[in-house]
Amino acid sequence: MAIATWTAETGWGDSRVTNYGPLDMTPGCAALHYGQEIFEGLKVYRHADGSIWFFRPEMNARRMIASAERMDLPPLGEADFLASVHALARADEAWVPSGDEMSYYMRPVMFADEAFLGVHSASRVTYAVVGGAAAPYIADGLTPVDIWVTTTYSRAGDGGTGSAKCGGNYASSLKAQREGAAVGCPQVLFTDAATHEWVEELGGMNFFAVTTEGRLVTPPTSGTILAGITRDSILALAPGLGLTPEVRPLSLSELFAGIVEGDIREAFACGTAAVVTPIGRLVHSADGEVETIPLTAPLGEATRALRTALVDIQWGRAGDPYGWMQEVRPHV
Ligand SMILES: *Cc1c(COP(=O)(O)O)cnc(C)c1O
């Protein structure tokens, strides 16, 4: 693992790559009480020639800075973030698997590491990066997944922490996820906290709907939605595949009616871990009854084309016109 510590007096320092192991922490650790914590998720991909690569890691660095600012943690500079993930990837090079859709998943985390039970921003913070070989997140990435649409719980509200990658957002999504699991849905689609009428995103993935005219609709990330790097990449790839990106609010009524009337035939979720996950059915509660709305083309052409275009760049099977790939630096 890579590790560094920050103190109010000295700033960031003591950075190193060391053996994976437990952290020294007391039950008084502020992160355990107040949740001042953020994280990131990124992968290392092995190409056919054996070289190993990151996908847009500077975006993770910048997002972690934005998350840190929202949670009043001390931002770790972009160059330091990149140095930490490159150093860990090189140290763990032998653990980066080759093989179809196999990767090495890396998890940077930063938390208030101070044993003091007063509510204030920590004066001591730990940053650590751990990683390991990862099989595809959803065993066959192309099996459509059923989604529970909750209009009871929210993952984010106006002015809240929805746009920060913080653990608390995930903790507050687990109850809805359990509710979804009870009706056979492994993932949950959240709606806006104020009216529950507008589509936001899943617990850890962004949401897209595809219309029959090839419009690719996803809600804007302003405030309550996490700005996914996969989402951003899909929006960039869309025009080249004959799709028109449309970043605009999408209401549940438009979504449900669009599916029922045949204008929306495919929908998918996306994120680093699972890449693109086709959605099979939306399940929700209408007047106390559970209603199921199946997508007619859950594994449609657009979903397949976007997924293929993205993974081909990531695994080096296609050119990299946007300069998204960054080769892991040699040992320094
Ligand atoms: C991490 C995350 C995503 C996906 O972001 P990527 O950068 O594409 O991995 C989407 N939504 C939430 C809530 C997340 O935490």
Side-chain angles (χ1 to χ4, degrees):
M1 63 187 194
I3 190 159
T5 49
W6 177 93
T7 68
E9 298 79 49
T10 60
W12 283 108
D14 197 21
S15 65
R16 60 205 189 279
V17 172
T18 182
N19 289 336
Y20 182 89
L23 298 169
D24 190 15
M25 176 192 286
T26 75
C29 177
L32 298 176
H33 297 264
Y34 308 122
Q36 196 189 9
E37 183 271 355
I38 56 173
F39 67 97
E40 269 303 323
L42 67 169
K43 283 176 172 174
V44 183
Y45 307 84
R46 191 178 289 283
H47 289 184
D49 66 359
S51 58
I52 54 173
W53 300 74
F54 284 109
F55 178 75
R56 310 185 76 184
E58 71 288 350
M59 299 284 280
N60 297 96
R62 288 174 205 156
R63 187 168 64 192
M64 197 162 205
I65 291 172
S67 297
E69 278 164 356
R70 177 62 186 84
M71 303 302 285
D72 208 30
L73 283 161
L76 180 70
E78 186 175 325
D80 288 337
F81 176 96
L82 290 173
S84 73
V85 295
H86 276 273
L88 181 62
R90 195 48 82 190
D92 257 1
E93 185 173 357
W95 295 99
V96 181
S98 46
D100 213 24
E101 307 245 338
M102 297 288 286
S103 62
Y104 176 98
Y105 185 73
M106 211 179 255
R107 189 46 87 80
V109 64
M110 185 192 292
F111 63 94
D113 189 9
E114 180 184 334
F116 180 70
L117 297 187
V119 181
H120 67 181
S121 290
S123 59
R124 188 189 141 85
V125 172
T126 291
Y127 167 77
V129 191
V130 296
Y137 187 70
I138 294 175
D140 167 5
L142 287 175
T143 302
V145 162
D146 290 347
I147 302 290
W148 171 245
V149 182
T150 179
T151 49
T152 307
Y153 300 108
S154 319
R155 63 171 291 283
D158 256 3
T161 58
S163 62
K165 209 168 174 74
C166 65
N169 291 342
Y170 279 72
S172 76
S173 76
L174 295 177
K175 178 122 195 221
Q177 191 165 315
R178 182 178 293 280
E179 238 183 48
V183 290
C185 298
Q187 296 283 337
V188 178
L189 177 62
F190 289 90
T191 49
D192 73 291
T195 66
H196 292 298
E197 176 53 20
W198 300 95
V199 171
E200 293 211 320
E201 63 168 323
L202 280 70
M205 286 189 269
N206 294 117
F207 178 85
F208 280 92
V210 189
T211 73
T212 45
E213 309 91 81
R215 285 178 291 123
L216 187 64
V217 185
T218 193
T221 53
S222 41
T224 54
I225 298 178
L226 202 280
I229 298 162
T230 316
R231 172 186 179 279
D232 184 74
S233 308
I234 282 172
L235 287 171
L237 290 169
L241 299 168
L243 297 161
T244 310
E246 233 174 70
V247 179
R248 62 167 174 86
L250 172 66
S251 70
L252 269 190
S253 36
E254 179 188 350
L255 176 64
F256 290 161
I259 296 172
V260 171
E261 288 159 16
D263 187 40
I264 295 173
R265 301 177 61 235
E266 11 177 349
F268 61 86
C270 70
T272 297
V275 198
V276 168
T277 302
I279 295 174
R281 302 183 292 183
L282 296 179
V283 183
H284 77 125
S285 165
D287 306 320
E289 300 284 311
V290 171
E291 186 181 38
T292 299
I293 306 174
L295 276 297
T296 50
L299 239 175
E301 251 173 77
T303 305
R304 273 179 197 275
L306 286 163
R307 186 175 204 285
T308 304
L310 187 57
V311 297
D312 280 354
I313 293 173
Q314 290 173 330
W315 271 275
R317 295 185 293 259
D320 177 20
Y322 298 95
W324 283 339
M325 302 307 292
Q326 193 176 103
E327 187 164 11
V328 174
R329 296 173 196 155
H331 267 304
V332 283

